[in-house]
Amino acid sequence: MTEQRPHRLARYVHCRSIVPSSINQSHIKMTRNGVTCAGAYSSTSGRRKRPDHTSPRIPLTLALLALAACWPEAAGLDPKFDPSTRMGLVLVPADATVGSVIYRLRASDEEFEYPLQFELVGDASSSTVQIETLPCTKFNSICQANVILTRRLEPGRYYDFQVSVKDTKGGMSVQSCSITATNFTTPHDVIFPHKAGIIMVPEDAKKGTELDYVLANKNPLFQKPVYLELWGSPLFGIRQKFISPETAEGTIFLLGQLDFEKQAMYHLTVLANDAYAEPGQDTRNIAGLEVVIIVEDVQDVPPVFTVAPPVTRLPAGLIPGDKVLQVHAEDGDKGVPREIRYGLVSEGNPFTSFFDINETSGEISLLRPLDDILALTHAGDPVLLTVIAEEVKVSRDEPPAMATTVQLAFFLPERSNSPPYFENDHYVARLDENAAPGTVLTFTDPYTPRVMDDDAGKNGVFSLTLLGNNGTFEISPNVAEGHANFVVRVRDSARLDYEAATYVHFQILAQELGPATNLSMLVNVTVYLADVNDNPPVFEQADYIVDLPENMTAGTRVVQVHATDVDTARLGGRVRYTQILGPHNTSLNLDPASGVVTVALNNHGFDREAMPEYHLYVEARDDDGIGNRAQVPLVIRLIDVNDETPAFEKPLYEFILAADLRNFTVPAFIRATDGDAEAPNNEVRYELIYGNYENKFFLHPITGELKLNGPLVPRTGGGGGGGQSVGGLRRRRQTGGSVASGGPPATGQKESDVFVLTARAFDLGVPVRYSTATIRVYPPESRTRTVTFIVPGSDPDRKKVQDTLADITGGRVIIQEVRPYRTGDGGIPTDLIGGGGGGGSGGGAERSVVIATILYDADSVVDIAKIQQRLSINGTVTNIISQEERSAILYKAENRVLFWLLIFLAILLALGILTLLLCCICPRCPLNATNRSPSGWDGEKPGQQRIDRPIPVPSRRIGSTEGGATLAKAH
């Protein structure tokens, strides 16, 4: 009996929330991702202790805080039991029947790893209950399981067990459960005020027919209503409605077509979720009700023949009145079967009058002689007879009677017969192996592909089939009468392989198809296969891998390949090695007969530094090099040889001693690289070989850093042209040109103190390869300056920039570093480069910072014409200052001149104003009006008089000498 899935409405059953009264260590469980807090908990011993009503309880607030603290760790990891379905302690009345559902478990998974599986943990065979996981798919939001009672409960006894729930990824939660039986009787009438007991349903009831209904009361302690489910058969469903806040009604209805003949009774179970339970006596969250549905038989199936042989061969010597055979039929309706009556259908059948049938027993007998039947038919033709079986209707109210017919075939006895025969007792043919489907076998003389049958009529009809060829050949015609020339063709060439078997053997069967004969004849056929070149060469190895040094020379043996061909030598079995495919294949020779591969050239091009291994293919062909071809991979793995010499980054390194003669102004590193691919051939070491007198310098053998073994103490030395030495070493005379460029010394150059060292870089390979470079160490002179230059371009040419700066500064230039310019880089003021911090001319062009050391001689010369000539070159990196920069510099210069000119004019104007004010105040100033000559009075207007000079005496003449003297004296 199949179970019905719960109704969709019942799948989302809400359960009451139960807050645990106490929390102990068993509430914490181990999960696959660490320690988490489990809503359903399990103890370490696997059994739950009985509740101790006298033990102190943890406050609800503390319990909720504990759950909230561990909730983030558990969320999204493992499935969780619905808190409302915890079976901490379930009270079950002692009258609970074995096999009944006593509890409904629910669980969910936040990662939607559905379906979930519920299981008992521990020894399930000794448990009081069993767990039944209800159907659940990955589209459900919750999965459920029934807890089913498996044995009677003793009142007052506690039964402990554990239930686990697992998701599809292995996540699991476990909860400890306990049930105990109470001395209480389940109030079925209160839970189900109306119960559907036995329901009678006719088998022809239509889908959707309402059969009965059930009433269920909800648990008074819950706010949620009761939900009903129907289990037992997918042919029935339940439709729920709430007739009151306390009661729900479930109508049982038909979902599918019933068939009494297949199943006459159905046992269904109505489960009520959150149904009524007596407080303090029963804490189950589900109640069950058994419903029995009986299907009533309806006369809707016709009679069925149980005995009716379709073909019967009549024996020779059968006379009228003899029994031929007996048929039997039964009513298809098994509830109240009807009686059956038999008859022969004569309509359209000329042979009905030759036979008779007993209407109650179904016995068929011969009425007329067989010769009369033979006169109406050909020999071997079957005689067809139609028998009808009809139900007997005995009541007017019954459904109409139904009938069934069956057709019987009788084969009459035949006269004497002979089997078919072939022209030859065996056949032989020849065929190329792997012949294409449809190829006809050719039977040459003395073989004639013909078969004959001397019988006339039906007995002369025979079939032709092949035996023992596994579908390799086919024959036509398949059916013939009297005689036929047969043709055998290739159907499947899989077995036509000369290398597997040189011939194929099978048989031809000719068998009569007459109604009273099975005479046959067999003949053997042998097909000899001819070998053809149908197999390519096969190499002995799947691939050939060799290790060779990269400096191999012409004639070096690489490898010898070998291939064979299963075909015979005269049909292309002779193998030749034709070519090598892949990179540098022309550098290899392939012997076509032996398969030996050798190096053809000294300059073969195989270089370990370019590629560690080369993948090629060697081709072989059969039929002496013109037939089928095959290829095998050839992998040449090169062994690194010390054939690369370490190379310095530059031939000359120049460094300047610091002022304290203990170190250099910048870290002094030299660097060389080796082009070999593997160690130790590409490992570089450094050493000083010349110039390190008295061992004053130390060159690190691995890093290439040049250091001083001790501070150099300057002192005066003698000999060799005199002069001053540093650190006790004589200064070498340098009267040359640019140190940075390493060019020839120029005439007129003063001597300078320079340490000239020769460094060697060598590898660790065998043989050792090395190269040398020159190191020049300059003393700390006052004429040495480190200057930061801003040049246009993102990656200027160091040599051209060095030459340009040497012309501009008039000294020898050593470039220490070149890097892109960024805003505020190195503390360089932005107004020196066009302002703004754009880093380029006009705010858009790219610039570079060049840090260089300038060494000035005592007679450094700056040639302005040379600078102008170099700066006038366009389109090169030596054009240090671009046109936009020159325009910006000229614009700034003009603005500054105008600014200072305006300031100068303003100062002059202020001084003039101040001088005039002082003259007006000072009485001794020659510009004061009181110090003017008498002749100045002649110019005054008539009647004008100054209040600060004396009035002349009227009695005297103004123009007299005496008066003039008096005035001059007064003044």
Side-chain angles (χ1 to χ4, degrees):
M1 182 180 299
T2 59
E3 292 187 354
Q4 177 191 359
R5 292 178 179 265
H7 192 270
R8 180 178 297 273
L9 183 61
R11 293 180 183 175
Y12 302 93
V13 179
H14 300 282
C15 299
R16 60 190 179 90
S17 300
I18 301 177
V19 179
S21 60
S22 63
I23 297 177
N24 53 33
Q25 293 181 355
S26 62
H27 286 72
I28 302 176
K29 68 182 185 69
M30 299 297 295
T31 68
R32 54 187 175 183
N33 294 321
V35 179
T36 60
C37 180
Y41 61 92
S42 61
S43 64
T44 57
S45 62
R47 298 184 58 85
R48 184 182 184 277
K49 297 175 61 178
R50 295 185 181 181
D52 186 2
H53 299 287
T54 62
S55 61
R57 297 192 176 187
I58 301 176
L60 177 60
T61 304
L62 183 59
L64 293 177
L65 289 176
L67 290 175
C70 54
W71 170 256
E73 179 69 20
L77 297 178
D78 296 318
K80 299 180 297 183
F81 283 95
D82 192 331
S84 64
T85 62
R86 294 174 183 165
M87 298 183 67
L89 178 61
V90 179
L91 304 180
V92 181
D95 67 339
T97 59
V98 176
S100 62
V101 179
I102 62 172
Y103 210 79
R104 172 65 61 82
L105 295 173
R106 300 180 183 90
S108 61
D109 189 274
E110 294 187 0
E111 295 176 337
F112 297 97
E113 296 172 354
Y114 294 109
L116 305 180
Q117 184 68 30
F118 297 81
E119 295 178 353
L120 283 174
V121 179
D123 188 4
S125 61
S126 61
S127 179
T128 309
V129 298
Q130 70 178 19
I131 305 300
E132 178 189 22
T133 302
L134 300 183
C136 182
T137 67
K138 62 181 179 179
F139 302 106
N140 290 99
S141 61
I142 185 173
C143 291
Q144 306 181 83
N146 288 334
V147 181
I148 301 175
L149 189 65
T150 58
R151 62 177 178 177
R152 286 285 184 181
L153 301 178
E154 297 181 26
R157 179 179 174 182
Y158 288 84
Y159 303 88
D160 299 332
F161 56 92
Q162 289 183 320
V163 179
S164 68
V165 59
K166 298 179 181 179
D167 58 26
T168 57
K169 297 298 181 61
M172 180 177 71
S173 295
V174 179
Q175 76 163 336
S176 296
C177 307
S178 180
I179 61 176
T180 183
T182 61
N183 292 315
F184 183 72
T185 302
T186 303
H188 293 284
D189 294 337
V190 178
I191 299 174
F192 299 102
H194 181 273
K195 299 185 289 292
I198 299 177
I199 303 174
M200 306 294 293
V201 184
E203 65 174 328
D204 60 350
K206 303 298 182 182
K207 292 172 60 176
T209 302
E210 296 183 357
L211 308 180
D212 206 338
Y213 71 95
V214 175
L215 296 181
N217 290 325
K218 79 176 190 68
N219 193 317
L221 300 179
F222 296 165
Q223 295 296 329
K224 297 175 293 183
V226 60
Y227 287 92
L228 301 177
E229 301 174 3
L230 183 65
W231 295 85
S233 174
L235 296 177
F236 303 93
I238 189 168
R239 185 183 300 111
Q240 176 172 317
K241 67 179 179 178
F242 300 103
I243 59 177
S244 71
E246 303 295 329
T247 305
E249 176 185 309
T251 302
I252 301 174
F253 62 95
L254 187 62
L255 289 176
Q257 185 64 44
L258 300 175
D259 190 349
F260 176 85
E261 286 69 35
K262 292 182 179 180
Q263 186 171 348
M265 181 180 295
Y266 295 89
H267 291 271
L268 307 179
T269 301
V270 177
L271 294 179
N273 290 273
D274 299 324
Y276 175 83
E278 188 68 23
Q281 299 292 334
D282 187 357
T283 58
R284 293 176 293 180
N285 65 352
I286 195 168
L289 174 66
E290 297 295 328
V291 177
V292 177
I293 295 181
I294 297 177
V295 181
E296 297 177 338
D297 188 21
V298 176
Q299 291 293 333
D300 58 349
V301 180
V304 177
F305 280 92
T306 59
V307 178
V311 177
T312 303
R313 295 187 179 276
L314 300 181
L318 193 65
I319 62 176
D322 291 344
K323 177 181 176 181
V324 177
L325 60 89
Q326 184 175 3
V327 297
H328 180 72
E330 298 177 355
D331 190 354
D333 298 305
K334 303 302 181 182
V336 184
R338 295 176 175 180
E339 293 184 3
I340 304 298
R341 297 292 184 266
Y342 304 96
L344 297 177
V345 178
S346 60
E347 183 177 358
N349 192 341
F351 301 105
T352 304
S353 60
F354 292 88
F355 298 92
D356 187 27
I357 187 171
N358 190 304
E359 66 174 4
T360 57
S361 64
E363 181 178 310
I364 301 175
S365 58
L366 185 63
L367 287 180
R368 298 169 59 179
L370 292 178
D371 293 338
D372 296 345
I373 301 176
L374 290 172
L376 298 178
T377 183
H378 298 284
D381 288 346
V383 176
L384 302 179
L385 199 64
T386 302
V387 180
I388 183 172
E390 187 178 8
E391 298 175 347
V392 178
K393 179 180 178 181
V394 297
S395 174
R396 183 176 180 181
D397 298 332
E398 292 182 3
M402 306 182 72
T404 302
T405 59
V406 65
Q407 192 172 53
L408 307 178
F410 300 107
F411 285 95
L412 303 178
E414 293 284 345
R415 299 182 179 90
S416 60
N417 190 15
S418 61
Y421 60 93
F422 291 88
E423 285 284 345
N424 303 94
D425 57 356
H426 72 282
Y427 289 90
V428 176
R430 296 188 179 277
L431 183 68
D432 289 341
E433 65 171 329
N434 295 324
T439 303
V440 177
L441 288 182
T442 301
F443 298 100
T444 59
D445 289 338
Y447 303 106
T448 303
R450 181 182 298 131
V451 62
M452 293 174 292
D453 194 330
D454 296 334
D455 295 324
K458 298 291 185 178
N459 291 341
V461 179
F462 56 89
S463 64
L464 295 175
T465 55
L466 301 181
L467 302 178
N469 74 328
N470 291 332
T472 303
F473 300 98
E474 60 184 1
I475 190 172
S476 62
N478 299 114
V479 178
E481 183 178 359
H483 66 278
N485 292 328
F486 60 87
V487 176
V488 179
R489 292 184 175 88
V490 177
R491 182 170 178 265
D492 184 3
S493 60
R495 290 183 59 206
L496 301 179
D497 188 0
Y498 179 85
E499 287 71 34
T502 58
Y503 66 91
V504 178
H505 179 75
F506 60 94
Q507 293 176 316
I508 302 177
L509 172 65
Q511 185 174 17
E512 290 183 348
L513 299 178
T517 180
N518 58 357
L519 298 177
S520 62
M521 176 64 68
L522 279 173
V523 66
N524 293 323
V525 180
T526 302
V527 179
Y528 291 98
L529 299 179
D531 190 19
V532 297
N533 186 19
D534 61 337
N535 293 288
V538 178
F539 284 91
E540 291 182 346
Q541 297 180 207
D543 54 8
Y544 292 86
I545 302 176
V546 294
D547 295 322
L548 294 174
E550 61 176 331
N551 63 344
M552 52 189 172
T553 58
T556 302
R557 180 187 174 99
V558 179
V559 72
Q560 182 176 12
V561 298
H562 188 260
T564 57
D565 196 308
V566 296
D567 294 316
T568 58
R570 64 183 181 83
L571 293 175
R574 183 179 300 175
V575 178
R576 288 291 180 268
Y577 307 96
T578 53
Q579 61 178 335
I580 299 176
L581 306 173
H584 302 295
N585 60 337
T586 56
S587 299
L588 300 176
N589 281 332
L590 175 63
D591 189 287
S594 64
V596 175
V597 180
T598 57
V599 179
L601 305 170
N602 288 329
N603 188 17
H604 45 71
F606 292 103
D607 188 2
R608 174 62 179 82
E609 286 70 42
M611 187 178 297
E613 60 183 36
Y614 290 81
H615 292 258
L616 303 96
Y617 291 89
V618 179
E619 181 186 82
R621 301 183 70 171
D622 58 15
D623 198 8
D624 211 11
I626 61 173
N628 299 319
R629 69 182 66 194
Q631 293 180 352
V632 65
L634 171 60
V635 180
I636 299 178
R637 298 188 300 199
L638 296 180
I639 302 173
D640 188 28
V641 177
N642 191 21
D643 58 348
E644 295 288 340
T645 302
F648 281 96
E649 291 180 343
K650 52 187 179 180
L652 176 64
Y653 292 89
E654 296 174 307
F655 306 108
I656 301 173
L657 291 171
D660 57 358
L661 299 180
R662 295 177 180 272
N663 209 335
F664 298 95
T665 56
V666 295
F669 284 93
I670 64 175
R671 177 173 173 80
T673 56
D674 195 303
D676 288 310
E678 298 177 355
N681 297 334
N682 60 359
E683 295 183 2
V684 180
R685 297 294 183 266
Y686 306 94
E687 63 178 352
L688 294 175
I689 58 175
Y690 298 112
N692 190 16
Y693 306 109
E694 298 184 10
N695 198 26
K696 292 297 183 179
F697 296 94
F698 168 73
L699 180 62
H700 196 282
I702 298 177
T703 63
E705 182 179 7
L706 182 67
K707 295 184 178 180
L708 295 174
N709 284 325
L712 300 179
V713 180
R715 66 175 180 268
T716 303
Q724 190 179 18
S725 63
V726 178
L729 298 180
R730 292 296 302 164
R731 294 181 293 178
R732 301 185 59 181
R733 179 178 298 275
Q734 295 294 329
T735 59
S738 175
V739 175
S741 62
T747 60
Q749 183 74 23
K750 296 293 184 178
E751 67 176 7
S752 59
D753 298 326
V754 178
F755 294 100
V756 180
L757 308 175
T758 301
R760 177 168 62 185
F762 61 93
D763 57 26
L764 301 183
V766 178
V768 177
R769 291 179 175 270
Y770 64 90
S771 62
T772 60
T774 301
I775 302 176
R776 293 183 179 179
V777 179
Y778 298 96
E781 300 180 0
S782 60
R783 293 186 297 273
T784 301
R785 296 290 184 269
T786 299
V787 183
T788 300
F789 296 92
I790 307 298
V791 300
S794 60
D795 188 15
D797 189 312
R798 296 173 68 99
K799 180 63 173 61
K800 294 182 179 180
V801 171
Q802 184 173 274
D803 295 342
T804 301
L805 297 181
D807 293 338
I808 294 175
T809 60
R812 287 170 293 171
V813 178
I814 303 174
I815 294 179
Q816 304 293 346
E817 181 183 358
V818 177
R819 66 173 184 268
Y821 174 77
R822 298 180 179 85
T823 302
D825 190 0
I828 302 172
T830 57
D831 58 349
L832 295 181
I833 56 161
S841 62
E846 296 182 349
R847 294 171 180 253
S848 298
V849 176
V850 178
I851 300 176
T853 301
I854 312 299
L855 296 125
Y856 290 100
D857 295 330
D859 53 353
S860 297
V861 177
V862 176
D863 189 347
I864 300 301
K866 191 173 183 180
I867 295 175
Q868 292 177 348
Q869 179 182 0
R870 185 174 296 278
L871 293 180
S872 64
I873 300 175
N874 294 323
T876 65
V877 238
T878 58
N879 189 7
I880 300 297
I881 303 177
S882 62
Q883 184 65 33
E884 291 80 5
E885 291 173 334
R886 287 196 293 269
S887 300
I889 293 173
L890 182 60
Y891 178 78
K892 287 185 177 181
E894 291 175 354
N895 288 343
R896 289 182 180 180
V897 171
L898 181 61
F899 174 76
W900 289 113
L901 182 60
L902 292 175
I903 290 178
F904 179 74
L905 293 177
I907 292 174
L908 290 179
L909 180 61
L911 289 176
I913 295 173
L914 182 61
T915 302
L916 292 177
L917 291 176
L918 290 176
C919 288
C920 294
I921 296 173
C922 181
R924 297 183 179 273
C925 179
L927 298 179
N928 196 320
T930 57
N931 296 328
R932 294 181 181 177
S933 61
S935 59
W937 289 92
D938 296 338
E940 292 182 355
K941 296 181 180 181
Q944 185 177 5
Q945 184 179 359
R946 293 182 61 90
I947 61 175
D948 56 348
R949 62 177 58 175
I951 303 173
V953 180
S955 63
R956 295 186 180 180
R957 295 179 60 185
I958 297 176
S960 67
T961 305
E962 185 180 0
T966 303
L967 291 172
K969 187 178 180 180
H971 179 71

